[in-house]
Amino acid sequence: MSHAAPAPVGGKLVTPITTVLGVMVLAMVAVLAVRFVYGLGAATNLNNGYPWGLWIAWDVVTGSALAGGGFATALLVYVLNRGEYHPLIRPALLAALLGYLQAGFSVVADLGRWWDFWHIFWPGYAQVNSVLFEVAVCIMAYTVILAIELLPAALERLGWQRAKKKLERVLFVFVAIGVLLPTMHQSSLGTLLVVFGPQVHPLYQSTVLPLLFLTSTIGMGYAAVTIEAAISSVALRRPLEKEILGKLLQIGRGLMALFLLVRFGDLVWRGALHFAFEPSLPMLTFWVENLLFSVPLWLLASAAARGRARLIFLGAMAMALGGIVYRLSAFLVAYQTGAGWHYFPSLGELTVTAGLIAFEVLAIILAVRVLPILPAARSSS
Amino acid sequence: MSAIDFWLKTSRVAKKLETSDELGAASRRFGLPRRDFMQFAATLVASMGLPTSAFGAVVNALTYAKRPSVIWMQFQECTGCTESLLRAEHPTLDKLILQLISLDYHETLAAAAGHQVEAARRAAMEANKGKYILVVEGAIPVKENGIYCKIGGRTAIDLVKEAAADAAAVISIGSCASWGGMPSTSPNPTGASSVATVIGKPVVSIPGCPPNPYNFLSTVVHFLTFGALPELDAKGRPKFAYGRLIHENCERRAHFDAGRFATQFGDEGHRQGWCLYKLGCKGPETYANCPSILFNDCGAGAWPVGTGHPCIGCTEEGVGFTKPIHSLAQLKTVSPPTQFARPGEEQGQGATAVTAGAAAVLGGLAIGAGVKLANNLGKRDDADEKARGGKP
Amino acid sequence: MSFDRRDLFRLAAVAATGAATQAHARPNKTMPEEALGLLFDGTLCIGCRACMPACKEANGMPPELTPLEANGQTSAVWDAPLDISGSTLNVIKAYRDGTGEHKDEVKDGFAFTKQSCFHCVDPSCVSACPVSAMTKDPVNGIVSYNVDACIGCRYCVAACPFGVPRFTYDTPKPKISKCQLCRHRLEDGKFAACATVCPTGATLFGKVKDLKAEVARRKALAPGTPTTYPRGRIGGGDSYSARAGRYVPRVYGEHEIGGTQVLHLSGVPFELLDKPELPERAPAAVSESLQHGLYYGLLAPATFLGILVAAARRNMVAAGKNPDEVKKP
C-alpha cells in the first residue's frame, strides 16, 4: 500500500487565529527590543543564582526535545525501515525545524555577548571539554540538516523536479546524520547538568542523565508527532491515523518503561532512593514526572485503548507533559544554587516564550497551507 | 563645640536663662562672663548626655547647691590626674575648688602641710560625716600589708578604708585608682590595687591616664544636680563617658573602613592622617570619649590619635600599660555592624502575582486546549463506534 | 537482508561499550607546584572590610549602593554589596545569632567569612566554558577570565558550586566578573589587594604550599597560645603577635571538589557561613569523564553514523525507491 503523497492544504492565510498569533509574536519582538537595548536584566528575572532561566529551560532544552519528533520519526521510517509511519515524517520534520530554529533564536536572545557567538565554532576559542560546546555545534549542524531534509518539499512546490531527484539520491546521508546529531545533543542536554555537581538535587543529578534525556526525548518526539497529528486532524477535519499513532505510542510506552527502569535503577544503585520520600520541591516534581511518564503504560495497555483517538491523544499528552516537567524541573527546580536565591520568569520572559510558541504554530499553519507537508486528504475509510 | 554654641545661640531656654538673675548670680560665683558660664554649663550637660531640658537644673545646682566637701587622697600616683584638672579651663581649678566644691583635703594643692593638713582632713571628715565625697588618685599597694605607701605613718590601705567608711560617694580618678594602672603593671612588685578592691565596695571610676577633667566634673555636677551618681557600667565607669569605644567616634575611622593604614611613623599614610590601627592603636578595644570631647579646650585634633599617635588604651584594664604599645588591638566588635550582608542573603525575584498568573494563564490555555481536543476526539471515537455498530 | 534491527542494536551496543571501556575516567586535576592562593582565617578577621574597597580600587569596580532590607534600610549611600556580583569581587559577610555578642561562637555569636573566587584546582567554570574564556594558568593556577572570548552564555555562573562568576545583567554589553587574584598586579611585585590591606593577616597571600604549612602550624597551636601571624603575604616580612584562635577541625578548600587554592579557617562550622558541602570528586572531572567516555575518539558516534548511513542507504536508495514511497517491510 502506498500512502497518499503530501500536498498543500490551502485555505486563507489571515484568520482570527493567525492574527492573534501574530500579535503575540509582535509582543515578543517588543520585549526582545528592550532586552537588546538595555540588557538581559531589563527584560528578565535572570540573576546570578539562576543564570539560566525559562529561555534555556523551556525554549532550548524542552523546545528542542519536543522537536525530537523529527529525528525519532526519521529513525523509525528510514533506519528501521518502518514505512507505515511515513505520512508522519514531513510534519514531524517541519515541527522539528521550527523547534530548533526557535531554540537557536532563544540562545541568541539569551547570550549576553551574542555578537561573539561564532567563537564556539572557532579553533582557538572552541573548548571541546565543554558539554555546551558539543550541544551548540550539534544543534547548529542539525538545524542545517533539518532544512536539507525538508528541501524536497520546497523544491516540489517550486516544481524543480530535477533538483529534487538529485537531492533525493544523496538524502540518505543527511537522514543518517540527522538521526545521529540529535542522539548526541539531546543526551548532552542532560549531560549539561553533570558539571553542576551537588547543586542539582540528588534525585536528578546522575551520570545516567544523558540516557534519561535521550529516552525521554524520543518519547516526547513521538508524543509531539501524535499531538500534532491530532491537532491537524481536528483543525482540518481529517481522519486521525489512529493505527499508525497507536503503534507509535506502543514504542513510546517501551521508552517510558525504559526511562522509569533506568531512573529508579540508578537511584537504587546510587543509594539515593530515600530522597524520593524526603519532602522537597524536587521530590514533588520527581513524582509528578514519573506519574505522567507512567500514564501511557497503563492507559494504553490494551490494543483497544490504542485504537481510541482520545486515549491516544491523552497518552501522548501525558508523555509530552512528563518530559516538559522533567526538563523544567531538572534545570530550574532541582538546580539549587545556594541559600537565598529566587527566580521565576518575568512577564518579559513569559511573553517571549509565548511569542516563540505562537511563531511556531503560525509558521506551521502557514507552511501546511502552502507547502506539501501533510498527506493529501483522503475520504475517511 | 559648635553644636553647643548653636544651641546657646538659638534656644529660647538658653536666651531666657542668659538674662535671668540666676545666671547672673552663677556667673558672679564662678567669676565668668555670662556667656562663658553658659558654655561651661552646656558642656557639662552635653558630655553627660543629658537633655537640654536639664540645663536649667544644672545651672540651678551650680548656682545654689551647697558646695560638697571633697576629700582628695593621693597614693601610688604621678599627680597627672590633678595636673590635668589644673588645666581645665571651664572653669579653672581655682573656681572649681572655691565655688563648685569645697576641697577640704588635697596634698598637692593644700597650703598647709604635715600634721596640720592631716588634722584638717580629720576635721572635715568629722564635720561632713556621711556627706563628703572621697576622691582617690593613685593605686593602693597591698603587698607586705601596704608598707609601700604611707602618709603620716599610716598605710594607704588604712587611710582609704577610714575615709571611705563615712563617704557619701567614692570616686576613683585615673586608671591607677580605677584598676591599678601603671603601678600594677606586671610583675606588680607592690601589689598595686584599685580602690574598689581595697575598700570592697563599688566606687565610681574615672579611668584614664590622665582622665579627661570634664568626665570628673560632669560626674560631680551630676551628683550636685540630681543628688545621685550618673549611670555606671559594670566596671563602675559613668556610661556617658565610657559607653563607647574610641574606635566608634574616631575621626580616622573612615580610613580604617577603607583599608588605609599608616604602617610606620612618618610614612605616606601617617602623613596623610590614615588609621593608626596597624601601629598598634588600641582605640578598637578601649572605651572612652576622648575623640568626642578632646583635651585642653584647644580645638580639633587635641587628643592622642588626633596628633598622630596610636591610642595606648590608658583607660582600659588589660590594655593600657599591659599590652605593648605597638601590638595589634583585639577589635571589640560590640556586634557585627548592621551593614554586613549575611551568608545566604535573599536575592533574585521569585514569583509575583502577575508572573505566576501569566504563567498559569499560559499553562491553563494549553491544558484547556488539550482537554477540548480530547473531548473532540472522544466524540469522534463514539461516532466511529456507533458507525461500527459497537457499544460505546 | 544482511542485517535486521536486532543486529543494528547489537552493533550499537558493542560500539558503545567498546568506547566506554577504552575511555579512561579522568581523575581530578592536581595542584600546580607554584600555585598561588589566599588563606582566609575567620578568627583573625575583625570585620573592618578594608579588603572590599581595596579590591574595588585595584579592579576598577563601581560601588554598589544596596540597601540592606534585613536591617530596615530603604536607601543606601555607602558601598554595601549583599554579595559578590557583576561589580563586586570580594565580600566579607557576617554570620550572627541571637544577641551577636561573642566572636566566633555559634550561639549568641558572630563570625566573619569572605566570599571570593576559590581558584579551584579542577574548576567547573573552566570545564564548562565553551569558548575558552575561563582558563586556569598552568603555572600559578589562577583562574582567569577573558572578556574578548566570552559569549555571555553564563554556563560558568551556573556551574560554579561556590557561585563565584557573576554576570552584569544590567547592560547590553555584559561580561563576567570574578576575582582573578589581582593577576594584573603580580607583575609589579604587588599581590592581591585584599591581602595587601588586611590589617590582621586574616586574608593572607602566598604560595599554596606555604599557606598549607601555615594552616598546619595554626591548627597545631593550642587556642590562646601566643604566636606570630604573618601579614600581607607569606615571606613578606610583616607580622604581628597575637594569640592562637580556636578552629573547627575542617579546612575549607582542602578537599572540596578536589581542592582549591583559597583556603578558609573558621571558628564556627562552615555550613553556618553558607559554604556548600561538596564532594572530593570534581564535577568537572565527572562531566569530562562522561562526555569523553561517550565521545572517545569519536568512536561511538562514527560507528553509529556508519550503521545509520548503511541502513538509510539500504532503505532509501538501494531499494530503488523514492524516499516518499518507502516500501513496507
Coordinates of all heavy atoms in Angstrom, one line a residue, chain B residues 255-261 263 277-278 327-331 333-347, chain C residues 46-50 53 68 70-71 73 80 82-83 92-94 96 100 110 112 196-200 231 240 272-274:
Chain B
H255 N 39.3 55.9 57.4 CA 40.5 55.3 56.8 C 40.5 53.8 57.2 O 41.0 53.0 56.4 CB 41.7 56.0 57.3 CG 41.8 57.4 56.8 ND1 41.9 57.8 55.5 CD2 41.7 58.6 57.5 CE1 41.9 59.1 55.4 NE2 41.8 59.6 56.6
F256 N 40.1 53.5 58.4 CA 40.1 52.1 58.8 C 39.2 51.3 57.9 O 39.5 50.2 57.4 CB 39.6 52.0 60.3 CG 39.4 50.6 60.8 CD1 40.5 49.9 61.4 CD2 38.2 50.0 60.7 CE1 40.3 48.6 61.9 CE2 38.0 48.7 61.2 CZ 39.1 48.0 61.8
D257 N 38.0 51.9 57.7 CA 37.0 51.2 56.9 C 37.4 51.0 55.4 O 37.0 50.1 54.7 CB 35.6 51.9 56.9 CG 35.0 51.8 58.3 OD1 35.3 50.8 59.0 OD2 34.2 52.6 58.6
A258 N 38.3 51.9 55.0 CA 38.7 51.8 53.6 C 40.1 51.1 53.5 O 40.6 51.0 52.4 CB 38.8 53.2 53.0
G259 N 40.6 50.6 54.6 CA 41.8 49.9 54.5 C 43.1 50.7 54.3 O 44.1 50.3 53.7
R260 N 43.0 52.0 54.7 CA 44.1 52.9 54.5 C 44.8 53.0 55.9 O 44.3 53.7 56.8 CB 43.7 54.3 54.1 CG 43.2 54.3 52.6 CD 43.0 55.7 52.1 NE 41.8 56.3 52.8 CZ 40.6 56.4 52.2 NH1 40.4 55.9 51.1 NH2 39.6 57.0 52.9
F261 N 46.0 52.4 56.0 CA 46.6 52.3 57.3 C 48.0 52.9 57.2 O 48.8 52.7 56.3 CB 46.8 50.8 57.8 CG 45.5 50.1 58.0 CD1 45.0 49.2 57.0 CD2 44.7 50.4 59.1 CE1 43.8 48.6 57.2 CE2 43.5 49.8 59.3 CZ 43.0 48.9 58.3
T263 N 51.7 52.5 58.4 CA 52.4 51.3 58.8 C 53.7 51.7 59.6 O 54.3 50.9 60.2 CB 52.7 50.4 57.6 OG1 53.3 51.2 56.6 CG2 51.5 49.8 57.1
Y277 N 45.7 51.9 63.2 CA 45.5 50.5 63.8 C 46.7 49.6 63.7 O 47.1 48.9 64.6 CB 44.3 49.9 63.0 CG 43.9 48.5 63.5 CD1 43.4 48.2 64.7 CD2 44.2 47.4 62.6 CE1 43.1 47.0 65.1 CE2 43.9 46.1 63.0 CZ 43.3 45.9 64.3 OH 43.0 44.6 64.7
K278 N 47.3 49.7 62.5 CA 48.5 48.8 62.3 C 49.7 49.2 63.1 O 50.6 48.5 63.3 CB 48.9 48.8 60.8 CG 48.1 47.7 60.0 CD 48.7 47.6 58.6 CE 48.0 46.5 57.8 NZ 48.6 46.3 56.5
S327 N 51.6 46.6 69.7 CA 50.9 45.3 69.3 C 49.5 45.6 68.9 O 48.9 46.6 69.2 CB 50.9 44.4 70.5 OG 49.9 44.7 71.4
L328 N 49.0 44.7 68.0 CA 47.7 44.9 67.4 C 46.6 44.8 68.4 O 46.6 43.9 69.2 CB 47.5 43.9 66.3 CG 46.8 44.3 65.1 CD1 47.4 45.5 64.4 CD2 46.7 43.1 64.1
A329 N 45.6 45.7 68.3 CA 44.5 45.6 69.2 C 43.6 44.5 68.9 O 43.4 44.1 67.7 CB 43.7 46.9 69.1
Q330 N 42.9 43.9 69.9 CA 41.9 42.9 69.7 C 40.6 43.7 69.5 O 40.1 44.3 70.4 CB 41.8 42.1 70.9 CG 40.9 40.9 70.8 CD 41.5 39.8 69.9 OE1 42.6 39.5 70.1 NE2 40.7 39.3 69.0
L331 N 40.1 43.7 68.2 CA 39.0 44.6 67.9 C 37.7 44.1 68.7 O 37.3 43.0 68.5 CB 38.7 44.6 66.4 CG 37.7 45.6 66.0 CD1 38.5 46.7 65.2 CD2 36.6 45.1 65.1
T333 N 34.2 44.1 68.7 CA 33.0 44.5 67.9 C 31.8 44.2 68.8 O 31.6 43.1 69.3 CB 32.9 43.6 66.7 OG1 34.2 43.4 66.2 CG2 32.1 44.2 65.6
V334 N 31.1 45.3 69.1 CA 30.0 45.1 70.0 C 29.1 44.1 69.5 O 28.6 43.2 70.2 CB 29.3 46.5 70.2 CG1 28.3 46.4 71.3 CG2 30.3 47.6 70.5
S335 N 28.8 44.2 68.2 CA 28.1 43.1 67.5 C 28.4 43.5 66.0 O 28.8 44.6 65.8 CB 26.6 43.2 67.7 OG 26.1 44.4 67.4
P336 N 28.2 42.6 65.1 CA 28.6 42.9 63.7 C 27.8 44.1 63.3 O 26.6 44.1 63.5 CB 28.2 41.7 62.9 CG 28.0 40.6 63.9 CD 27.7 41.2 65.2
P337 N 28.4 45.2 62.8 CA 27.6 46.3 62.3 C 26.6 46.0 61.3 O 26.7 45.0 60.6 CB 28.7 47.2 61.7 CG 30.0 46.7 62.3 CD 29.8 45.3 62.6
T338 N 25.5 46.8 61.3 CA 24.4 46.4 60.5 C 24.6 46.3 59.0 O 23.9 45.7 58.3 CB 23.3 47.5 60.7 OG1 23.9 48.8 60.5 CG2 22.7 47.4 62.1
Q339 N 25.7 47.0 58.6 CA 25.9 47.0 57.1 C 26.4 45.7 56.6 O 26.5 45.5 55.4 CB 26.9 48.1 56.7 CG 26.3 49.5 56.9 CD 25.5 50.0 55.7 OE1 25.8 49.5 54.6 NE2 24.6 50.9 55.9
F340 N 26.7 44.7 57.4 CA 27.2 43.4 56.9 C 26.1 42.6 56.3 O 25.0 42.4 56.8 CB 27.8 42.6 58.0 CG 29.2 42.9 58.3 CD1 29.5 43.8 59.4 CD2 30.2 42.4 57.6 CE1 30.9 44.1 59.6 CE2 31.5 42.7 57.8 CZ 31.9 43.6 58.9
A341 N 26.4 42.1 55.1 CA 25.5 41.1 54.5 C 25.6 39.8 55.2 O 26.7 39.5 55.8 CB 25.8 41.0 53.0
R342 N 24.6 39.1 55.3 CA 24.6 37.7 55.9 C 24.9 36.7 54.9 O 24.7 36.9 53.7 CB 23.3 37.4 56.6 CG 22.9 38.4 57.6 CD 21.4 38.3 57.9 NE 20.6 38.5 56.6 CZ 19.3 38.3 56.5 NH1 18.6 38.0 57.5 NH2 18.8 38.5 55.3
P343 N 25.4 35.5 55.3 CA 25.5 34.4 54.3 C 24.1 34.1 53.9 O 23.2 34.1 54.7 CB 26.1 33.3 55.1 CG 26.8 33.9 56.3 CD 25.9 35.1 56.6
G344 N 23.9 33.8 52.6 CA 22.6 33.4 52.1 C 21.6 34.5 52.1 O 20.4 34.3 52.4
E345 N 22.0 35.8 51.8 CA 21.1 36.9 51.7 C 20.1 36.6 50.6 O 20.4 36.0 49.6 CB 21.9 38.1 51.4 CG 21.3 39.5 51.7 CD 21.3 39.8 53.2 OE1 22.4 39.9 53.8 OE2 20.2 40.2 53.7
E346 N 18.8 37.1 50.9 CA 17.8 36.9 49.9 C 18.1 37.7 48.6 O 18.3 38.9 48.7 CB 16.4 37.3 50.4 CG 16.0 36.6 51.7 CD 15.6 35.1 51.4 OE1 14.8 34.9 50.5 OE2 16.1 34.3 52.2
Q347 N 18.1 37.0 47.5 CA 18.3 37.7 46.3 C 17.5 37.2 45.1 O 17.1 36.0 45.2 CB 19.8 37.6 45.9 CG 20.8 38.3 46.8 CD 22.2 38.1 46.4 OE1 22.8 38.7 45.6 NE2 22.8 37.1 47.0
Chain C
I46 N 38.6 40.9 61.6 CA 38.0 41.8 62.6 C 36.8 42.5 61.9 O 36.1 43.4 62.5 CB 39.0 42.9 63.1 CG1 39.6 43.6 61.9 CG2 40.0 42.2 64.0 CD1 40.5 44.8 62.3
G47 N 36.5 42.2 60.7 CA 35.3 42.8 60.0 C 35.5 44.2 59.6 O 34.5 44.9 59.5
C48 N 36.7 44.6 59.4 CA 36.9 46.0 59.0 C 36.5 46.2 57.6 O 36.3 47.4 57.2 CB 38.3 46.5 59.3 SG 39.6 45.8 58.1
R49 N 36.5 45.2 56.8 CA 36.1 45.2 55.4 C 37.0 46.1 54.6 O 36.6 46.6 53.5 CB 34.7 45.6 55.2 CG 33.7 44.6 55.8 CD 32.3 44.9 55.5 NE 31.9 46.1 56.3 CZ 30.7 46.5 56.4 NH1 29.7 45.9 55.7 NH2 30.3 47.5 57.1
A50 N 38.2 46.3 55.0 CA 39.2 47.1 54.3 C 39.5 46.5 52.9 O 39.7 47.1 51.9 CB 40.5 47.3 55.0
P53 N 36.8 47.7 49.7 CA 37.2 48.9 48.8 C 38.5 48.7 48.2 O 38.7 49.2 47.0 CB 37.1 50.1 49.8 CG 37.2 49.5 51.2 CD 36.6 48.1 51.1
L68 N 20.3 47.4 52.8 CA 20.1 46.0 53.4 C 18.7 46.0 54.0 O 18.5 46.5 55.1 CB 21.2 45.8 54.5 CG 22.6 45.6 54.0 CD1 23.6 45.4 55.1 CD2 22.7 44.4 53.0
A70 N 17.1 43.7 55.3 CA 17.0 43.0 56.5 C 17.2 43.9 57.7 O 16.8 43.7 58.8 CB 18.1 41.9 56.6
N71 N 17.9 45.0 57.5 CA 18.2 46.0 58.6 C 17.2 47.2 58.5 O 17.5 48.2 59.1 CB 19.6 46.4 58.6 CG 20.6 45.3 58.9 OD1 20.3 44.5 59.8 ND2 21.6 45.1 58.0
Q73 N 16.7 49.1 56.0 CA 17.1 50.3 55.2 C 16.3 50.3 53.9 O 16.0 49.3 53.4 CB 18.6 50.1 54.9 CG 19.5 50.2 56.1 CD 20.9 50.0 55.7 OE1 21.2 49.6 54.6 NE2 21.8 50.2 56.6
A80 N 27.6 48.9 49.8 CA 27.2 47.8 50.8 C 26.7 46.7 50.0 O 25.5 46.4 50.0 CB 26.2 48.4 51.7
L82 N 25.4 43.1 48.8 CA 24.9 42.0 49.5 C 25.7 40.8 49.3 O 25.7 39.9 50.1 CB 23.5 41.7 48.9 CG 22.3 42.5 49.4 CD1 21.1 42.1 48.6 CD2 22.1 42.3 50.8
D83 N 26.4 40.8 48.2 CA 27.0 39.5 47.8 C 28.0 39.9 46.7 O 28.0 41.1 46.2 CB 25.9 38.6 47.2 CG 26.3 37.2 47.2 OD1 27.5 36.9 47.4 OD2 25.4 36.3 47.1
I92 N 32.9 40.6 52.5 CA 33.0 40.0 53.9 C 31.6 39.9 54.4 O 30.9 40.9 54.4 CB 33.9 40.8 54.8 CG1 35.3 40.9 54.3 CG2 33.8 40.3 56.2 CD1 36.1 39.6 54.3
K93 N 31.2 38.7 54.7 CA 29.8 38.5 55.3 C 29.9 38.2 56.7 O 30.9 37.6 57.2 CB 29.1 37.4 54.5 CG 28.8 37.7 53.1 CD 28.1 36.6 52.4 CE 27.7 36.9 51.0 NZ 26.9 35.8 50.4
A94 N 28.8 38.4 57.4 CA 28.8 38.1 58.9 C 27.7 37.2 59.2 O 26.5 37.5 58.9 CB 28.7 39.4 59.7
R96 N 25.5 35.9 62.2 CA 25.2 36.3 63.5 C 24.0 35.6 64.1 O 23.1 35.2 63.4 CB 24.9 37.8 63.6 CG 23.7 38.3 62.8 CD 23.8 39.8 62.6 NE 23.7 40.5 63.9 CZ 23.7 41.8 64.0 NH1 23.7 42.6 63.0 NH2 23.6 42.4 65.2
G100 N 24.4 38.2 69.2 CA 25.6 38.5 68.4 C 26.7 39.1 69.2 O 27.4 40.0 68.7
F110 N 28.9 35.8 66.6 CA 29.0 36.2 65.2 C 30.4 35.7 64.6 O 31.3 35.4 65.4 CB 28.9 37.7 65.1 CG 30.0 38.5 65.7 CD1 31.1 38.9 64.9 CD2 30.0 38.8 67.0 CE1 32.2 39.6 65.5 CE2 31.1 39.5 67.6 CZ 32.2 39.9 66.8
F112 N 32.9 36.0 60.8 CA 33.0 36.6 59.5 C 33.5 35.6 58.5 O 34.2 34.6 58.9 CB 34.1 37.8 59.5 CG 33.7 38.9 60.4 CD1 34.4 39.2 61.6 CD2 32.6 39.7 60.1 CE1 34.0 40.3 62.4 CE2 32.2 40.8 60.8 CZ 32.9 41.0 62.0
T196 N 46.8 42.6 50.8 CA 47.7 43.7 51.0 C 47.2 44.6 52.1 O 48.0 45.1 53.0 CB 47.9 44.6 49.7 OG1 48.2 43.7 48.6 CG2 49.0 45.6 49.8
V197 N 45.9 44.9 52.1 CA 45.4 45.9 53.1 C 45.0 45.3 54.4 O 44.7 45.9 55.3 CB 44.3 46.7 52.5 CG1 44.7 47.5 51.3 CG2 43.1 45.9 52.2
C198 N 44.8 43.9 54.4 CA 44.2 43.3 55.6 C 45.1 43.6 56.8 O 46.3 43.2 56.8 CB 44.1 41.8 55.4 SG 43.4 41.0 56.8
P199 N 44.6 44.3 57.8 CA 45.4 44.7 58.9 C 45.8 43.5 59.9 O 46.7 43.7 60.7 CB 44.5 45.7 59.7 CG 43.1 45.3 59.3 CD 43.2 44.7 58.0
T200 N 45.1 42.4 59.8 CA 45.4 41.3 60.7 C 46.0 40.1 60.0 O 46.2 39.1 60.7 CB 44.2 40.9 61.5 OG1 43.2 40.4 60.5 CG2 43.6 42.1 62.3
R231 N 51.5 38.9 58.0 CA 50.5 39.8 57.5 C 50.8 40.1 56.0 O 52.0 40.2 55.7 CB 50.6 41.1 58.3 CG 49.4 42.0 58.2 CD 49.2 42.8 59.5 NE 50.3 43.5 60.0 CZ 50.3 44.4 61.0 NH1 49.2 44.6 61.6 NH2 51.4 45.0 61.4
Y240 N 52.8 40.2 63.2 CA 52.5 40.8 64.5 C 52.2 39.6 65.4 O 52.0 38.5 65.0 CB 51.3 41.7 64.3 CG 50.0 41.0 64.1 CD1 49.1 40.7 65.1 CD2 49.6 40.6 62.8 CE1 47.9 40.0 64.8 CE2 48.5 39.9 62.5 CZ 47.6 39.7 63.5 OH 46.4 39.0 63.3
L272 N 27.3 27.2 58.6 CA 26.7 28.5 59.0 C 27.1 29.7 58.2 O 26.5 30.7 58.1 CB 27.1 28.8 60.5 CG 26.6 27.7 61.5 CD1 27.1 28.1 62.9 CD2 25.1 27.6 61.5
L273 N 28.2 29.5 57.5 CA 28.8 30.6 56.7 C 28.4 30.4 55.2 O 29.0 31.1 54.3 CB 30.3 30.6 56.8 CG 30.8 30.7 58.2 CD1 32.3 30.6 58.3 CD2 30.4 32.0 58.9
D274 N 27.4 29.5 54.9 CA 26.9 29.3 53.6 C 28.0 28.8 52.7 O 28.0 29.1 51.5 CB 26.4 30.6 53.0 CG 25.3 30.4 52.0 OD1 24.8 29.3 51.9 OD2 25.1 31.3 51.2

